Amino acid sequence: MTQASRDWWRDAVIYQVYIRSFADGNGDGEGDIAGLRERLPYLRDLGIDALWINPWYPSPLNDGGYDVADFRDIDPRFGDLAQAKSLLDEAHGFGLKVLLDIVPNHSSWDHRWFKEALAAGPGSPERARYIFRDGRGDDGELPPNNWRSVFGGPAWERVTEPDGTPGQWYFHIFDVSQPDFDWENPEVRAEFLDILRFWFDLGVDGFRIDVAHGMVKNMDGPDLPYDESGLLDRPSIADHPFFDRDGVHEIYRGWREIADAYDPPKLYVAEAWVEPAERLARYLRDDELHSAFNFDYLKSAWTTAELRRSIDDSVTVLGSVGAPATWVLENHDVERVVTRYGRGVTAAGAGHAGRVSGPVDVELGTQRARAAALLMLALPGGAYVYQGQELGLAEVLDLPEESLQDPVWERSGRTERGRDGCRVPLPWATSGSSYGFGAGGAWLPQPAGWGDRSVEAETGDPGSVLSLYRSALRLRRDIPADESLTWLPSAADVLAFRRGEAFACVVNLGTAPADLPEHREVILSSGPLGPDGRLPGDTAVWLAV
Ligand code: NOJ
């Protein structure tokens, strides 16, 4: 195997499949492996390199499957292991790699280990797999400290002991149904090494690691200074007791050995909401993880200053540890980019609180999202596309309250609607009860007019977002693979850079038309150029120079 094919991921475009909302093969209203297998030709033709599939493990789905009840199986609503194997074989046959999502920070409260922990009582080895503590107060009626869940409310929940008395508390960074593992316990560490091997042996090409900056904790840490206005935000303090602790790197060195024992080696992508870029780079050192989502870029406002700073930081700082930059605009946790870029404030908030309010101009947002797609796909390194992003889907902002499933809704006291608006099942056809998603409706209501943004409607329409993505993904293969870029002189509202000697990308983020640098040919453009050949505002071009 050549070095180039071992390093396929360095400039790969990885498509995120939120399986519950991708395509429903069995007509139960929820997406599944059967639906995904049927649509693999669509993904091959789109021109992506790999899929990342969100958790498909048995789960009560209190947090969309990030509450895993069994790490070595598949929830029957999504399929079974035999179907998973067929999916892997078929995807590989199409030249597509497949990454899964591993959730090492916590399990579901339905996991066998957690049930055993509750039954076994204080001080037992079963409880030592999780983080149980006695409460404060005379009768232990107060939580061990003031730490809060990322989803709102306390990060501690009191249990009833097997003898019926009120008992210890367990720690959960996320929902109450997601107890955190104790990663000081060697049994937990060994278990996850085994889980990695289980899926690698089945043929999975790598993992996206959920909350990769979690796991290692200082449970003796002090109470935290919370800001009432930032309910869902983590306080940004140095030496955070449960995020980005140095001890986590030792775990990844062990994981890397497992990945490297395969031929070709397996891949790890970190979901790590850490700042600044230097902290992220620590996860991507030679003997740790391969790649990470670039949330700094995702959160940046649609301005030349923010984007250029983020691009420079990413290329330089990640490059300093030999890692490629990555580019990401959307995922299942944040607002769709068409909506965000259609607002007055275009920067996203942090993590699960990444929603901004205010009126949305969808037409403007779409124009910017098209330009942003060409920018992202011209940059050096890898890129992520979240399902539906290639259709230009907007966030569904008016889901009925009774349909909301994200735990953020309840845990925020119904003040934050949460992330369901970017998880609405995909429209595949212009009409039909679920716009082609499946025969049995859709688990979240799809908005009227959803069919206008369907794969069927956009296929063959040269002006559609889908056609733009297809062209860009095809043409991107000709952009020089060198992982650097050279900025070109440009007006203040314009980003212009060269990759290699013959390719340039120019993006106008302002309102006044901009001159293009000298070029041989316009290869691709996110919107029409002016009659004078100038580049209108919120438009991007790829040039042969
Ligand atoms: C990050 C995932 O992307 C998000 O969807 C989930 O709620 C949390 N981790 C907890 O697992």
Side-chain angles (χ1 to χ4, degrees):
M1 166 142 313
T2 64
Q3 193 59 33
S5 54
R6 292 172 75 89
D7 286 353
W8 65 269
W9 48 274
R10 292 191 75 93
D11 61 353
V13 178
I14 301 183
Y15 183 94
Q16 181 187 351
V17 175
Y18 193 78
I19 188 155
R20 198 179 178 193
S21 300
F22 185 71
D24 176 13
N26 68 1
D28 67 354
E30 297 188 287
D32 47 33
I33 297 178
L36 174 54
R37 286 172 66 191
E38 279 167 31
R39 301 293 182 179
L40 278 179
Y42 166 76
L43 295 175
R44 175 201 54 200
D45 296 344
L46 184 58
I48 48 127
D49 302 292
L51 317 180
W52 147 37
I53 304 173
N54 283 102
W56 58 9
Y57 312 104
S59 166
L61 297 191
N62 287 336
D63 181 24
Y66 284 94
D67 45 327
V68 179
D70 180 351
F71 288 91
R72 293 184 189 77
D73 205 350
I74 296 203
D75 196 293
R77 77 180 89 202
F78 299 134
D80 57 29
L81 285 169
Q83 287 181 37
K85 179 70 185 143
S86 302
L87 167 74
L88 290 170
D89 292 345
E90 287 159 12
H92 290 156
F94 285 157
L96 300 171
K97 311 271 191 209
V98 181
L99 311 185
L100 297 187
D101 210 317
I102 192 157
V103 190
N105 182 69
H106 46 264
S107 73
S108 161
W109 60 13
D110 282 0
H111 193 286
R112 179 174 60 82
W113 274 11
F114 192 69
K115 291 183 181 163
E116 288 172 2
L118 291 183
S124 61
E126 287 82 358
R127 269 201 189 177
R129 294 162 172 159
Y130 293 90
I131 302 174
F132 281 84
R133 294 288 183 276
D134 294 332
R136 291 185 293 191
D138 291 344
D139 298 312
E141 72 282 9
L142 298 172
N145 60 32
N146 80 335
W147 297 352
R148 291 192 191 166
S149 150
V150 170
F151 291 159
W156 293 97
E157 182 72 10
R158 195 169 195 188
V159 304
T160 303
E161 298 300 352
D163 65 3
T165 56
Q168 289 192 300
W169 298 71
Y170 67 88
F171 181 66
H172 59 92
I173 297 184
F174 295 94
D175 189 47
V176 61
S177 63
Q178 294 166 293
D180 281 40
F181 287 117
D182 185 348
W183 274 83
E184 301 304 319
N185 185 336
E187 198 186 355
V188 171
R189 294 190 182 220
E191 173 73 354
F192 272 90
L193 297 182
D194 194 64
I195 292 166
L196 293 172
R197 284 197 200 94
F198 175 87
W199 292 103
F200 288 155
D201 289 347
L202 197 76
V204 163
D205 301 292
F207 277 102
R208 174 262 192 197
I209 302 168
D210 189 63
V211 206
H213 56 310
M215 294 142 87
V216 172
K217 284 139 200 157
N218 172 17
M219 296 311 292
D220 300 324
D223 275 2
L224 291 173
Y226 287 100
D227 161 10
E228 281 313 312
S229 62
L231 179 65
L232 302 180
D233 247 339
R234 72 189 66 124
S236 81
I237 58 163
D239 194 24
H240 195 288
F242 48 91
F243 285 130
D244 195 23
R245 297 195 66 78
D246 288 346
V248 79
H249 297 288
E250 185 197 327
I251 297 174
Y252 294 136
R253 286 193 278 272
W255 286 27
R256 181 63 178 253
E257 281 176 22
I258 300 223
D260 284 349
Y262 289 82
D263 186 18
K266 306 293 183 177
L267 171 72
Y268 296 121
V269 181
E271 187 227 16
W273 293 86
V274 299
E275 288 169 359
E278 284 76 10
R279 291 298 298 183
L280 187 61
R282 292 163 59 85
Y283 290 75
L284 306 180
R285 291 174 288 194
D286 248 7
D287 56 351
E288 296 193 37
L289 308 178
H290 301 81
S291 181
F293 298 105
N294 188 342
F295 294 129
D296 181 65
Y297 186 75
L298 181 151
K299 288 190 290 180
S300 297
W302 180 244
T303 63
T304 49
E306 281 201 31
L307 289 170
R308 184 164 170 167
R309 185 210 44 80
S310 182
I311 292 167
D312 279 338
D313 273 7
S314 311
V315 172
T316 313
V317 180
L318 302 186
S320 73
V321 289
T326 66
W327 314 104
V328 53
L329 294 169
E330 290 190 15
N331 64 35
H332 63 292
D333 290 329
V334 300
E335 190 168 71
R336 292 256 187 209
V337 73
V338 161
T339 304
R340 178 156 64 89
Y341 281 178
R343 293 186 191 279
V345 174
T346 51
H352 308 98
R355 284 175 172 57
V356 181
S357 52
V360 180
D361 178 342
V362 170
E363 201 177 319
L364 176 66
T366 304
Q367 192 179 341
R368 288 176 171 169
R370 293 173 63 96
L374 292 202
L375 170 58
M376 170 179 90
L377 294 173
L379 290 168
Y384 290 85
V385 176
Y386 174 51
Q387 67 180 39
Q389 182 180 337
E390 81 281 18
L391 301 174
L393 294 185
E395 185 86 359
V396 182
L397 295 169
D398 57 356
L399 285 171
E401 288 185 358
E402 62 278 10
S403 70
L404 297 179
Q405 304 216 1
D406 187 346
V408 167
W409 172 238
E410 291 298 341
R411 290 195 66 88
S412 68
R414 303 193 163 196
T415 56
E416 300 277 343
R417 291 174 67 84
R419 301 160 291 173
D420 292 314
C422 63
R423 300 175 176 180
V424 175
L426 286 193
W428 291 92
T430 51
S431 59
S433 65
S434 66
Y435 300 105
F437 172 66
W443 67 278
L444 277 174
Q446 299 157 302
W450 206 227
D452 298 344
R453 288 259 181 241
S454 63
V455 173
E456 184 185 10
E458 296 199 19
T459 297
D461 169 3
S464 70
V465 179
L466 180 57
S467 297
L468 182 72
Y469 266 90
R470 280 189 173 142
S471 302
L473 289 168
R474 180 169 42 83
L475 294 165
R476 184 179 184 274
R477 298 188 185 275
D478 298 330
I479 301 177
D482 178 343
E483 286 174 15
S484 63
L485 86 174
T486 308
W487 293 107
L488 300 172
S490 65
D493 280 342
V494 174
L495 291 176
F497 59 90
R498 227 174 4 85
R499 300 273 317 279
E501 293 307 317
F503 174 88
C505 173
V506 185
V507 191
N508 183 356
L509 292 93
T511 45
D515 289 326
L516 290 177
E518 209 173 302
H519 56 277
R520 287 183 289 124
E521 191 194 339
V522 174
I523 304 172
L524 187 62
S525 140
S526 70
L529 299 189
D532 52 0
R534 299 175 89 204
L535 185 65
D538 295 318
T539 307
V541 275
W542 286 3
L543 303 173
V545 292

